[in-house]
Structure formats: C-alpha cells, structure tokens
Amino acid sequence: MTLSSERPKPLLRRIGRVSWRGARQLPALLFALPYAFIVGYSLVAAITPTADLHRGEIGRFTLENFALAWSSADFPRLYLNTLIFTLGLLLVQVFTVTMAGFALAHLKGQGKDALFYLILFQLFLPASALILPNYILVERMGLADTLTALALPYVASATGAFLLRQGFLQVPKELVEAAYVDGATPWQVLWRVLLPLVRPQLAAFALVSLVYHWNEFLWPLVIIQSPEKRVLSLGFASFARSAESGMEWGLIAAGALLVALPMVVVFLLFQRSFMEAFARSGLKG
Amino acid sequence: MRTGRIVGLWVLLGIGLAQSTTITFYYPVGVAGPLARFIEGYVQEFEAKNPDIKVNTVFGGNYEENQAKVVAAIRAGNPPDTAILLSQQLYTLLAMDAIEPFDAYIAKDPELKRAVNDFFPAFMMNSTLDGKVYSLPFQRSTPILYYNKEAFQEAGLDPERPPASWDELVEYAKRLTKRDAQGRIVRYGVAIPTENRSTWLLEALTIQAGGLLYDPAGKGCKVLVDTEPVRKGMQFKADLARRYGVSPEGLVAWGTTPGDFTAGKVAMIYHSTGSLGFVRANARFPFGTAFLPKQVRYGVPTGGANFYLFKGSDPKKREATLRFIKFMTSPELQARWALDSGYVAARRSSWSLPIMQKYLQEWPQPKTAREQLAYARAELPVYNLQQVKDIIAEAEQAVVLGRKDVRETTREAQKRVDEALKPFCR
Amino acid sequence: MKGPWVFLLLLPTLAFLVVFTYLPLAVAAKEGIPALPQLLSPENLNALRVTALYTLLTAPLSVALGLLAAVAVEGHGRLRLLARLLIFHPVILPTVGFAAVFLYLLNPLGPLRNVLQAAGFPNPLGEPLSAFLSVVLVGVLKDAGFYMLYYLAGLQSIPKELIEAARVDGAGRIVTFLRVSLPLLSPTTFFVGVMAVLGALRNVDHIFVLTKGGPLGATDHLLYRIYILGFEYFDFSQAAALSLVLFTALTLLALTALPRLERGVYYDA
C-alpha cells in the first residue's frame, strides 16, 4: 500500500521535470544576457517612434520605422539582388570547392605541398585589401556594375576547399573503391557517391559564405553603380551613414533587422549541420 | 522641294527622339534619412520632362565614399558625366585633371548665366579659381547655433536673446548646465562636436577669432595652422569642458549631438543647418537658431557639395548633362530640395517662391543660415584635402583632450600640413 | 589516372585564384615597392603598433569567449538554442549595423551614461584608450559567435566515455574540463585561433562607424589606413606598400599555420 504522500502527482512531476530542464539551461541564458541586452536595445529602437528615442523615452510601440525603412530603399529589389548574388555565388562555389577539396584530399606526388599552400594561402589574403586592383581588373573585362563582378573574386574559395578537403579525408577508402569496382567513372564517384557524404561540410561552408556575402559592404560599394543592381548592404548604408545630420536610430535599427532577418533563418537551418561538420571532420588531436 | 525639307525635318526629329542619351551621375547622401529617394525622385521627374535623356544614378555612399567611387571610376578610365562632390574638392579634382570649367557653356547659355548670377556669392566662393567657374552649388549649408528655449527660460535667460559672443556663450552655458541631487550633470550647457575627420567647426571658430584657416592667395597651397586665431579656436573648445565644465569631457561626436540636443541633454549645440529637419521632427520643446557667436567677428565656412563637370564626355552627353544640372539647380528645385532636406536653397530667387515663403512663415529657422551667409567664407580649399583635414583634426583632438600644449601642437601640425602639400605645390 | 584528374579538378579554383588573388598582389607589389621608405613615417608605424595590439587583444579574447560560450550553451533545448542565436547574432547583422548599436550605447550622454561614468569611462569613444578598447570589444563580440559554433562541434566530438571516466575517478566538473576536454580541443583551438588572428587583421568595418581611426590615431588599424590612403588620399603607392606589410604578416601567419592545419587532421579508419 502506497501512501499518497509518497508519490508526487503526475502533473507536478511533469512540471518539475520541465522546470528542472529549463533551470539547467539557465547558465546558457545567463551567458547570453549581455547579448540579449544588445539585441534588446536594437529591437526596442526599431519599434519605438524615432522622435521618442531622440528624447530618450521608450514605451510607445510603432511599426513606422519599419515602414519608413522599407520605403527608404527598394527592399524587394534589394532582397532579390542579394539573393541572386549570394545564392548564385554559392552554387558556383559548391562546384569549385567540391572539386578542389576532393583534389586536395587526394593529392599525391611532388607538387602536393606546393599546390596545397598555393591554394590555401588565399585564406590569408583578404579581398578587402585587393579592392582597387580587382576593381580595375573587373572594369577592363567590361564587367563593372554587374552582380557577376561581385562574385568573381570569391569563386575560388580556400575556406571551402579546406573544409571540403577535411570532409573528403573522412570518407573510407573502401567506399570509393567499391564504387569504382561497380564501374563508376571518377566524375560519377565524385558527384554521386562522395558529395552526399560531405553534406555537413557543404552546409558549414554555405553558412560561412552566405552570411559573409549577405552583409558584405565595401566591395559592392565600389563595384555596383546602378540603383537597380544594389544589394542589401548598400541599401542599408544609405540611411545608416549620414554625414551632416543626426543619426536616426529607430530607422537604422529597423533597417538592420530587415537586412538580417533572412540570415536568422539561415542560421537556424544550418547551425546543426555546421557543428556536425566540425565534429566529424575531426578537428581532434 | 518644300516637301523634301519637311520630310527631312521629320526624319531628323525622328532620329533625335529615337536616340536617347545616357549620362552617369554620382551622388552622396550627406544627411540622414531617406534622402536618396528624393534625389532619385528629382531624377525621374527630369527624365519625364526630357524623354531623350536617361540619367544613370550612382549612389556613392557618404561624402568620403562617394568621392572615392568617383576617383576610382576616373582612374579606371570610366569618368562620370557629372557628380555631386564637396565644394572643397576643387583642387583635388584639378590635380587629377578630371574636371572642366563651366565658362564656355555659360557664355553660350543665358539660362546658365542667370543661374550663376543668382547663386549666393558665399556659395560660389569654393567654385571659382582664376576667374573660372568649376562647380555649381547644389546641397549647401552653414553651421548654426541651436538652442533650447525652454531650458533658457528655466535658467532665467531670455529665450529670444541667444548668446552673441564667445564670452556670452560661456556665461549662458554655465547657467544652463544642470546637475541632479548627487551632483551629476544631467544637462550640459553647450556642445561643440569635434568631428573626427573634418575641420568645419574649427574653421568657424578660427574665422570668428579673426583669422582664416588658409591663405586665399595661396591657391590651394597655403594652409594657416600655426596662427593665433586657430590656437584660440582650439583652446576655446578645450576650455569648455576642462576649464568651465559646461561641455562633456573628451571628444563630442558629430552624429549623436542633434539627438542629444533633442533629448534635452545639452542646451546649445553647434551643428549644420542641414540638421534642422531632424531637430524640428524630434524636439518637443521650442528651440531657436542663431548665428554662431562671434569673438572678434561673426563668421562661418560654407559647407556641402556642388555639381562638377567631368572631362571625357562627348558633346551630346555634355549637352544632356548641362540640362540636368540646370534642372537640379533651378530655383524651384532648390526650394523643394531645401524643404525636403534642410539644406540651404542656394539660389536667391528660391527664397521668394511661394512654397518657400509659406514654409518660412511656419518655420523661420532656415533664415538664420541664409542671413549668416553675409559673414561666410569659403570652406578650406586645398590640394590633398582629406589628408590635410585629418592632420588638422588630429591636432585639434590633441588640444581638446588636453594631451598637448596648443602652441606645440599647431607648430607640428603646420609642418605636417606643409609636408603633405609639397607634392602638389612646387 | 588520378594525376591528370586532380589537376583538372583544381583548374577552376587555380584559375580564379591567379586572376583575382595573385595578379592583384603583383599589381600591389609593383605599385608599392617605390613607396617602401614611406613606411617608416610616424603614422604608418602607429598603424603597425595599433594593429599588433588590436590583434594581440582581440584574437585570444574572442577565442576565449567562443569557448566559454560553447561550454555554457552545450546541449539540447530550446532555451539553449535561443542563447546560441543571441550569441551568434552579431555575426548575422551587417557589421555597420552592429557597430551602430554601440555608437548609440556608448554615447556619453546616452542611455548608459550613468553606467559608463561609474565605470570610469564617461566618453568611451571620445578618448584614445577607451576608444581602442571599445573597438576591441566590438571586434570580440562580432566573431565570438562563430567560434562558439566551432567549439560546440569540438565538444560534441569528445567521447563521452572519457568524461565519464574522469568523473568516476572523482574529478569535479572544472577539473574534468581543464584536464580532459581542453587538451582534446586543442586542434579546434588552433584552428579557431588562426581564424581569430585572421579576423583581427582583416575585419575593420566597425572602425568606419565607431572611431574612423581616431582619436589621435588610437584605432588606426593597418587595413583601415590602407583604405584611407588608397581611397581618400589617393596615394596608391603608399597604400600598396602598406598592403605589402599586411601581406607579409599574413604570409608569416600562413607559414606557421598551414603545416599544422594540414597535419592536424584525424580521420576515422
């Protein structure tokens, strides 16, 4: 016979369990508190009427900043251009980094180290430092003011090649050999057998590439001329960087959120794969 | 024979209409907010009125970025047809041999001639060299004093009598600086920004102290830093915080100052008349505008940007470009642009237009800048402009931060500026 | 058979590398070498100093922050995911936007005025030392989120048995972490460390918004100065020369790191 006092009610037990789980996650939230604070300020600024912000008051809610930000720049077009640029580039990069990563993983022979260093050296040469010569180059090719030109310096990505190389090194030799035995050509082996196996690495690379190029500012500023080809970072800049007057915080915050929102989605989609890629790729000793 | 001529005329007309000319136009956004949209709007209006011209607008960023883009384009062999660049940039552009004077076209075009004579002379000061006109004003401004009338009343000052001199400014500022129970300052009396890479307000102080930051006879080659008026200006700014305690310590940032003013945290500020729109929209108290206080005299530099004409254009494009510039600098558009942006309408006739008159009845503050033009000087016109500005601005920072003695600072800065100008001025 | 295939696969990458990375290098070298003597000017030496200090502070701090964040948010759960998103958000925002928030927060007359005064930094962006530290702060916060992800991956791949074994032996949480997890994370740390140094040398967008190189040159990062020299003073030779200095530093980094990166890979049988 069990006394009812010995057995906690099922509902209480569930609540207890959930809150214990929640409480255990508390350290995470505590750590994120300063970040939450910063995000909080941006969010509050975005939904507070600008006039209030400039008087130092908060509390009123409005969507006028978003409306004003939206109408200050042709957002649909900005989103479209940025999507075309980042996704288009990513698509090309998938090809180049997969091929390069595979090649680097299977390099044999004398030129091996030299080639490796030659390609990976690019990790250490930021395109930002090469803006002027790259601009002149692109201009001479007649490709200035195109989304293509935006992408060209990034087609060869050492980061991607490195990541994919790690991925390909994971693949057991037996799998590859079995595929050859089955009569597959090297090309087929690469795209049919190996590619699915390096999905985490590709996802990781996609995250890196998308986030970087989505927010990239300096190179587009130099290359893009026509208003209809502008990308998000340029559109955002037009009301974030004023020279003569005061800063419109509400507008800037709302604009920043409009620009960043798709990347939030990307993050949520890719963060698992990203970590999987690194967990498996054996950045272990 | 007659039909032949008529047909010929129609053919020519047809050809003329069928061929549209495309011109490239770079512009900056110098004032916060959706100003780029206004400019795009004006361009569309122009294109609607001139169907044979298409204007390719290039948003260049802020003043420095836009300048960089234009220069990059020129160096890549692809100069724009026109651009809005700082009126100060004349010498830099001349050194690059990138621009052409307007004179040849002014001689042939009565409308252009009228425009040139209609601009406020102060705004033409940065445009002319050796009797030639190299740029036409578009978005111009001067620094002015904004003051909080409510705070004035609270401190027992007459809200219709803003400070007229440096001494009065300090006196007023002392009375306007408010502290809380714990002795912390909740409102500063005055804030004069020390913008990181600009000499605009220092120039104003220098002029007020009786001097000038440059030698007009030097033709872009002589900058006067090691002089008493400059030192007075720097020291005055430094003293506001360190000696009188009426300004925040350290460097006061340009971009946050209007917001601080409208939030009531500082009772008087020096800022561009271009911020008028911002202040008007955000201040919940009555505010006034006034000339910058004098020391020996009133005086301010002009500011803002002009239209330039670039070499490398063909006659058709040049003709289209001039039509565009005339449209953008017309009295009507200057008036509308002033209302939309807060800049000063650069054409005198703009001020008598009905829309301007109506606006001024409700908001008389824009008149301050216009009236101050009587005391205005050209803004520092030199070669190697940005580097010179950076050197002087850094010197000013050293003084305001109390790091260096003002005499030593200006002496060193003079040497560095002369060095920087040497490659351009033999 | 492998031989020619390998090169074929590498061809596109190599081609673009040559045209858009190495060719511009050559151009920079050609432009910059005449201006090498100018590198000894006080302004350029200042930029070198600032960059070295900035890197020495930002890189380790952002790595450490990434590690701490990973430890704090490891595991499942929606709240943890939220924490991860919050820590990662600076990466997602355009740098100009993220830095603008600090412009607002660090205003001496702004919302944090009393906090700043109490902390002894009444005008963070308006005085040289505190401006430098502010720029470091923003730089650290901006990228730590990414490093957190790398460390989370690293933590995930530590075999649970090892942790349990240590616990069974009586080791506390912290000791376990220091003695077991941390050493096992050293390849990750190395990789993240290299990324962090790279980041410190090439991410300067926030300087454009916050301090523009000042006050008094306290935040005049090498890359920022290169931009100013090239695109605002139009002194391409000096800009190119400074670029060569930057490339040299980067090359040294590459030479130290690349061999380790190549070898430090452990793959399953």
Side-chain angles (χ1 to χ4, degrees):
Chain A
M1 273 129 334
T2 37
L3 295 166
S4 51
S5 58
E6 285 176 359
R7 202 175 14 159
K9 305 233 171 58
L11 179 63
L12 276 176
R13 194 173 348 164
R14 273 191 68 204
I15 293 177
R17 221 186 333 200
V18 168
S19 32
W20 175 234
R21 221 184 309 154
R24 286 184 63 195
Q25 296 183 47
L26 220 54
L29 279 184
L30 280 174
F31 194 90
L33 210 59
Y35 289 92
F37 178 70
I38 298 173
V39 173
Y41 254 104
S42 313
L43 287 175
V44 168
I47 58 172
T48 307
T50 299
D52 283 8
L53 273 178
H54 288 117
R55 290 185 211 124
E57 306 159 10
I58 53 172
R60 285 207 295 167
F61 176 85
T62 178
L63 289 174
E64 72 186 23
N65 290 326
F66 289 99
L68 191 57
W70 187 265
S71 67
S72 303
D74 189 358
F75 267 93
R77 168 135 264 150
L78 291 176
Y79 278 126
L80 185 67
N81 289 334
T82 312
L83 277 170
I84 294 176
F85 164 53
T86 51
L87 290 179
L89 174 63
L90 185 61
L91 195 65
V92 174
Q93 283 178 323
V94 165
F95 278 94
T96 59
V97 304
T98 306
M99 296 196 292
F102 181 74
L104 284 177
H106 290 93
L107 271 183
K108 292 180 179 56
Q110 284 193 324
K112 169 174 151 168
D113 279 344
L115 264 180
F116 180 85
Y117 289 147
L118 197 67
I119 293 181
L120 283 222
F121 192 57
Q122 197 235 15
L123 271 175
F124 301 89
L125 286 172
S128 33
L130 300 166
I131 278 195
L132 189 68
N134 269 333
Y135 173 80
I136 295 180
L137 219 61
V138 158
E139 187 90 38
R140 297 231 185 95
M141 288 192 226
L143 286 170
D145 196 24
T146 57
L147 293 176
T148 316
L150 263 189
L152 286 175
Y154 298 103
V155 169
S157 167
T159 320
F162 180 70
L163 263 175
L164 268 291
R165 173 181 181 270
Q166 306 295 77
F168 283 121
L169 285 172
Q170 310 295 84
V171 176
K173 285 239 173 84
E174 303 82 55
L175 214 64
V176 183
E177 270 148 35
Y180 277 125
V181 160
D182 281 350
T185 68
W187 193 253
Q188 283 175 320
V189 170
L190 177 56
W191 296 107
R192 295 285 187 77
V193 179
L194 294 173
L195 191 59
L197 293 172
V198 292
R199 260 215 295 260
Q201 280 74 16
L202 276 175
F205 175 68
L207 182 63
V208 173
S209 174
L210 282 177
V211 171
Y212 179 77
H213 293 293
W214 190 264
N215 290 324
E216 193 182 10
F217 175 66
L218 221 47
W219 177 236
L221 184 66
V222 172
I223 281 289
I224 297 293
Q225 297 184 2
S226 323
E228 54 297 346
K229 301 217 185 87
R230 270 181 225 148
V231 290
L232 278 169
S233 50
L234 294 182
F236 174 66
S238 67
F239 47 86
R241 306 252 293 150
S242 64
E244 282 203 69
S245 173
M247 305 209 74
E248 301 270 2
W249 298 117
L251 195 61
I252 293 172
L257 284 173
L258 284 176
V259 171
L261 218 57
M263 285 296 107
V264 174
V265 175
V266 167
F267 170 74
L268 290 171
L269 286 177
F270 283 100
Q271 57 116 22
R272 268 289 152 76
S273 317
F274 184 89
M275 294 188 302
E276 224 185 287
F278 281 92
R280 277 214 254 126
S281 84
L283 283 175
K284 321 179 204 167
Chain B
M1 242 274 287
R2 210 159 150 249
T3 18
R5 253 195 259 156
I6 293 177
V7 169
L9 212 60
W10 277 108
V11 170
L12 279 175
L13 206 63
I15 294 176
L17 283 176
Q19 288 182 345
S20 81
T21 319
T22 309
I23 59 174
T24 323
F25 159 55
Y26 281 65
Y27 71 93
V29 164
V31 181
L35 279 192
R37 294 226 117 186
F38 285 120
I39 304 236
E40 307 271 349
Y42 303 150
V43 168
Q44 277 164 16
E45 215 182 291
F46 172 75
E47 283 177 335
K49 292 194 179 142
N50 295 271
D52 59 329
I53 304 181
K54 183 162 175 344
V55 182
N56 220 7
T57 59
V58 181
F59 163 63
N62 62 14
Y63 283 131
E64 287 100 31
E65 288 158 6
N66 188 52
Q67 172 82 7
K69 284 200 75 158
V70 169
V71 173
I74 295 173
R75 291 181 81 98
N78 199 21
D81 293 289
T82 183
I84 295 177
L85 298 168
L86 285 177
S87 60
Q88 288 179 289
Q89 288 290 4
L90 176 60
Y91 288 90
T92 313
L93 294 168
L94 281 175
M96 291 178 66
D97 194 24
I99 54 175
E100 270 185 37
F102 281 80
D103 298 76
Y105 309 102
I106 296 175
K108 285 187 271 175
D109 188 341
E111 196 185 334
L112 210 51
K113 192 181 242 156
R114 240 173 318 166
V116 171
N117 289 326
D118 191 27
F119 288 116
F120 285 101
F123 288 142
M124 290 300 286
M125 284 185 205
N126 277 101
S127 310
T128 47
L129 179 65
D130 290 334
K132 297 213 195 92
V133 175
Y134 284 94
S135 66
L136 296 183
F138 179 66
Q139 49 192 59
R140 305 302 301 269
S141 58
T142 74
I144 57 176
L145 177 76
Y146 292 83
Y147 65 97
N148 185 336
K149 287 191 178 175
E150 200 175 83
F152 266 48
Q153 274 178 324
E154 199 188 297
L157 294 162
D158 180 357
E160 301 311 316
R161 270 211 71 234
S165 70
W166 286 13
D167 290 334
E168 265 183 25
L169 182 76
V170 175
E171 221 187 279
Y172 282 42
K174 285 190 190 157
R175 290 170 66 172
L176 288 161
T177 305
K178 196 161 76 160
R179 287 167 198 276
D180 65 9
Q182 282 96 341
R184 289 188 296 216
I185 300 183
V186 293
R187 183 181 65 212
Y188 283 96
V190 65
I192 305 182
T194 306
E195 179 60 338
N196 217 328
R197 307 185 62 219
S198 165
T199 49
W200 210 39
L201 290 181
L202 178 65
E203 254 190 298
L205 294 173
T206 306
I207 298 172
Q208 288 146 26
L212 209 55
L213 203 54
Y214 62 95
D215 180 358
K219 293 235 192 131
C221 282
K222 191 66 190 140
V223 177
L224 306 168
V225 186
D226 195 13
T227 62
E228 200 50 38
V230 170
R231 285 193 280 268
K232 282 217 188 109
M234 288 186 182
Q235 193 61 57
F236 179 63
K237 217 197 256 195
D239 287 343
L240 287 175
R242 319 186 95 242
R243 210 167 120 193
Y244 306 119
V246 297
S247 271
E249 294 243 10
L251 304 181
V252 175
W254 177 269
T256 48
T257 299
D260 294 337
F261 177 72
T262 54
K265 307 221 184 100
V266 61
M268 298 186 282
I269 60 168
Y270 283 29
H271 220 264
S272 169
T273 186
S275 307
L276 193 54
F278 179 100
V279 174
R280 195 179 62 230
N282 295 308
R284 230 207 242 138
F285 47 81
F287 69 95
T289 54
F291 289 7
L292 292 190
K294 64 175 174 196
Q295 209 249 344
V296 206
R297 60 180 177 180
Y298 287 118
V300 282
T302 57
N306 291 2
F307 272 102
Y308 289 83
L309 227 48
F310 286 88
K311 289 192 175 174
S313 203
D314 67 52
K316 276 204 91 188
K317 289 196 180 186
R318 184 49 58 80
E319 195 258 324
T321 307
L322 286 166
R323 260 198 275 168
F324 177 60
I325 297 179
K326 279 192 290 187
F327 172 77
M328 296 291 265
T329 56
S330 63
E332 298 77 25
L333 203 93
Q334 279 290 304
R336 283 167 55 200
W337 177 228
L339 264 51
D340 288 335
S341 66
Y343 283 113
V344 180
R347 303 240 345 215
R348 281 183 287 206
S349 45
S350 295
W351 293 81
S352 37
L353 290 177
I355 58 167
M356 187 63 98
Q357 293 285 334
K358 185 162 153 262
Y359 178 74
L360 288 173
Q361 267 167 6
E362 204 199 324
W363 294 101
Q365 286 97 345
K367 285 199 256 184
T368 306
R370 189 198 67 191
E371 284 159 14
Q372 205 177 210
L373 285 177
Y375 302 97
R377 304 300 166 105
E379 196 183 359
L380 183 66
V382 281
Y383 290 98
N384 204 1
L385 183 64
Q386 193 57 59
Q387 190 167 11
V388 169
K389 282 209 273 194
D390 283 344
I391 294 171
I392 301 177
E394 204 174 297
E396 189 189 9
Q397 286 169 30
V399 174
V400 170
L401 289 171
R403 294 304 167 98
K404 275 212 220 134
D405 163 62
V406 65
R407 293 210 98 86
E408 197 193 314
T409 310
T410 49
R411 209 179 325 131
E412 273 174 33
Q414 181 73 58
K415 267 195 247 148
R416 285 175 65 192
V417 164
D418 292 335
E419 268 302 313
L421 284 172
K422 252 206 257 168
F424 301 85
C425 305
R426 278 169 221 290
Chain C
M1 230 260 271
K2 274 293 170 65
W5 268 111
V6 164
F7 282 103
L8 223 61
L9 288 174
L10 280 176
L11 209 57
T13 302
L14 278 174
F16 275 91
L17 262 184
V18 166
V19 174
F20 290 101
T21 305
Y22 291 113
L23 195 59
L25 255 189
V27 171
K30 177 169 152 252
E31 285 262 354
I33 289 188
L36 280 178
Q38 290 179 286
L39 287 179
L40 294 175
S41 73
E43 296 85 27
N44 287 334
L45 289 177
N46 177 60
L48 289 173
R49 198 177 343 129
V50 168
T51 310
L53 282 172
Y54 177 75
T55 308
L56 278 171
L57 274 180
T58 309
L61 283 176
S62 52
V63 171
L65 188 60
L67 177 59
L68 287 173
V71 169
V73 305
E74 195 194 0
H76 298 282
R78 280 209 212 107
L79 288 181
R80 288 209 177 99
L81 183 60
L82 176 64
R84 249 177 248 176
L85 183 57
L86 284 172
I87 299 172
F88 193 71
H89 96 271
V91 180
I92 298 176
L93 279 180
T95 311
V96 172
F98 182 62
V101 178
F102 282 85
L103 205 55
Y104 176 68
L105 292 175
L106 297 178
N107 180 2
L109 299 178
L112 295 182
R113 165 172 33 177
N114 293 327
V115 173
L116 293 172
Q117 273 179 13
F121 291 113
N123 189 352
L125 296 173
E127 313 242 13
L129 179 62
S130 48
F132 176 74
L133 292 175
S134 307
V135 164
V136 168
L137 176 70
V138 175
V140 168
L141 289 177
K142 174 92 175 93
D143 282 330
F146 235 123
Y147 308 147
M148 170 190 71
L149 287 188
Y150 286 117
Y151 269 120
L152 279 173
L155 284 171
Q156 245 183 51
S157 59
I158 293 179
K160 296 285 181 281
E161 309 86 58
L162 288 175
I163 309 265
E164 276 162 21
R167 295 301 207 74
V168 160
D169 281 350
R173 278 205 126 104
I174 298 183
V175 174
T176 315
F177 178 73
L178 288 176
R179 291 280 192 86
V180 179
S181 309
L182 206 52
L184 284 174
L185 284 173
S186 55
T188 312
T189 304
F190 181 74
F191 180 77
V192 168
V194 170
M195 296 274 106
V197 173
L198 260 179
L201 287 171
R202 67 191 236 180
N203 296 335
V204 292
D205 289 13
H206 51 304
I207 297 181
F208 281 82
V209 170
L210 289 173
T211 57
K212 302 190 191 139
L216 297 182
T219 58
D220 201 9
H221 190 284
L222 198 59
L223 192 55
Y224 181 77
R225 186 161 168 78
I226 291 173
Y227 173 82
I228 296 296
L229 279 172
F231 286 87
E232 295 198 15
Y233 298 175
F234 312 117
D235 185 349
F236 292 116
S237 326
Q238 216 183 141
L242 269 181
S243 303
L244 290 177
V245 174
L246 184 62
F247 297 151
T248 310
L250 291 169
T251 307
L252 287 173
L253 179 69
L255 290 176
T256 15
L258 278 175
R260 261 304 292 274
L261 283 178
E262 192 210 3
R263 267 184 269 121
V265 171
Y266 165 89
Y267 43 96
D268 292 320

